Each structure stands twice: as structure tokens, then as C-alpha cells.
């Protein structure tokens, strides 16, 4: 290899090192730029921690609806809402929690069936997350808290002031009548 080729290779290596250092510096500088940009734009993650989220403009703050939480059970399970009621604004995302306890010494499968009153609220009651979406299997003596995330569409009739959300937890049978000894 000639000294001329060796000099070209050193120049190329120097340029590549400078480019790599500049890329690292640019990436490092993006962190404070990103934080500042998030603050200015009102985005909700800074340092990976949730910050104040922009308010949903779909929420009707001029109205309140009381959602009464009712629970029924058919079978050996104990099932209840952890609160009796919650007051919401139409369009506001809300989370409520139900608790189910399998107090027998065998696994139990059950399905929750929801119902709403008055009937006119049914198309306006929107569940985002619900334990009622699938069958639940509870181990012997297991207790579980299960959330329901919902909102009531702001298009709900203005005459609706109270909604009853009722769940009936229906036992689908104990997995082959197994006992704790099996």
C-alpha cells in the first residue's frame, strides 16, 4: 500500500469519526429539545412521567349524570361494585371497579352480563374496557378486582339524569366439578 493510499484512508477515518461524534452529539441534544417541545405543545410525557393531559373537548361539563352500580350473582360467587354510584359528565372517561370472590374450593367459570336503564341510554353507554367482554375463570378461593372503563356519549338525551349499570354474574359451571383435592 502506498503512502498516498494510507493518507487517504486516514482522512476518511477522520471524517467518519467526526461524523460519528456529531451524530452522537445531535442525539444527545435532542433530549432537552424534546422536553421543551413537549412542554410547549402540551404533550403528556416528560421524563416518562405522565403530566397534565389536555382536556377532552367532547365532555359536556354543563350536565351531570349519576351512574348507579348494581351487582347480582347467580351461583356460588360473591360479586359487588366497590362503590354504589359515581357522578359523571357526558363524554367523560370513568373507571369503576367490581369485586368478585370465589369462596368455594373449586375453580369456577362465570360470565358477567350487563344491562342499562333507562333503555334509551343503551346506545349511548360506551364501554372501553370491561370484564364482561370475556368469560372469567376464578381459581378456588380467589378474589379479583375488575375495572370497567366507560363514558356516556354526550348525545344522550338531556332528560337522562340517572343511569343504572347492572351486572349479573352468571356461573357457567365449575370446571368439571373439580375439588381442591383434584
Amino acid at each position: 500500500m502506498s503512502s498516498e493510499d494510507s493518507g487517504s484512508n486516514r482522512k476518511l477515518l477522520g471524517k467518519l469519526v467526526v461524523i460519528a461524534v456529531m451524530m452522537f452529539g445531535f442525539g444527545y441534544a435532542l433530549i432537552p429539545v424534546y422536553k421543551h417541545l413537549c412542554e410547549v405543545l402540551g404533550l403528556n410525557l416528560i421524563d416518562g412521567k405522565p403530566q397534565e393531559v389536555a382536556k377532552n373537548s367532547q365532555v359536556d361539563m354543563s350536565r351531570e349524570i349519576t351512574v348507579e352500580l348494581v351487582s347480582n350473582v347467580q351461583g356460588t360467587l360473591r360479586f359487588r361494585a366497590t362503590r354504589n354510584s359515581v357522578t359523571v359528565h357526558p363524554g367523560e372517561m370513568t373507571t369503576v371497579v367490581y369485586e368478585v370472590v370465589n369462596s368455594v374450593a373449586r375453580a369456577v367459570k362465570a360470565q358477567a352480563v350487563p344491562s342499562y336503564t333507562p333503555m334509551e341510554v343503551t346506545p349511548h353507554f360506551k364501554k372501553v374496557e370491561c370484564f364482561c367482554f370475556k368469560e372469567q375463570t376464578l381459581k378456588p378461593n380467589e378474589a379479583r378486582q375488575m375495572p370497567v372503563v366507560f363514558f356516556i356519549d354526550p348525545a344522550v338525551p338531556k332528560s337522562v339524569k340517572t343511569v343504572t349499570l347492572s351486572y349479573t354474574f352468571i356461573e357457567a359451571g365449575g370446571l368439571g366439578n373439580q375439588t381442591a383435592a383434584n
Side-chain angles (χ1 to χ4, degrees):
M1 181 182 269
S2 71
S3 65
E4 196 174 293
D5 286 340
S6 180
S8 293
N9 287 344
R10 284 189 193 134
K11 281 184 181 181
L12 180 60
L13 179 62
K15 288 178 184 178
L16 291 174
V17 168
V18 168
I19 289 172
V21 169
M22 288 175 55
M23 287 173 50
F24 177 77
F26 180 74
Y28 191 76
L30 278 179
I31 296 170
V33 170
Y34 176 73
K35 286 180 184 178
H36 182 69
L37 191 61
C38 287
E39 287 174 13
V40 169
L41 295 176
L43 299 176
N44 65 342
L45 287 180
I46 298 174
D47 290 333
K49 298 177 202 156
Q51 302 296 313
E52 185 175 331
V53 178
K55 295 195 189 280
N56 182 350
S57 62
Q58 302 289 322
V59 176
D60 183 353
M61 298 301 286
S62 69
R63 297 194 293 162
E64 286 187 343
I65 297 175
T66 300
V67 179
E68 295 174 340
L69 306 170
V70 177
S71 54
N72 304 295
V73 67
Q74 292 181 352
T76 59
L77 300 172
R78 289 192 326 245
F79 177 61
R80 69 177 186 88
T82 58
R83 299 169 64 171
N84 293 327
S85 67
V86 62
T87 302
V88 301
H89 297 284
E92 176 181 37
M93 196 74 68
T94 305
T95 301
V96 295
V97 177
Y98 283 79
E99 182 178 69
V100 64
V101 177
N102 177 11
S103 56
V104 296
R106 63 177 170 81
V108 174
K109 282 187 177 182
Q111 178 75 47
V113 179
S115 64
Y116 316 93
T117 54
M119 292 296 289
E120 67 219 44
V121 82
T122 301
H124 302 286
F125 201 99
K126 311 290 184 183
K127 291 186 300 260
V128 177
E129 178 185 335
C130 183
F131 57 90
C132 65
F133 291 159
K134 64 181 183 174
E135 187 175 76
Q136 303 292 321
T137 301
L138 291 118
K139 296 175 185 167
N141 303 306
E142 179 183 4
R144 187 183 301 165
Q145 291 203 335
M146 302 175 298
V148 178
V149 180
F150 69 91
F151 66 94
I152 298 174
D153 190 322
V156 69
K158 293 196 185 304
S159 62
V160 174
K161 305 285 186 223
T162 302
V163 172
T164 301
L165 171 60
S166 176
Y167 283 100
T168 301
F169 223 139
I170 301 170
E171 187 175 331
L175 303 169
N177 292 323
Q178 296 174 349
T179 63
N182 288 345

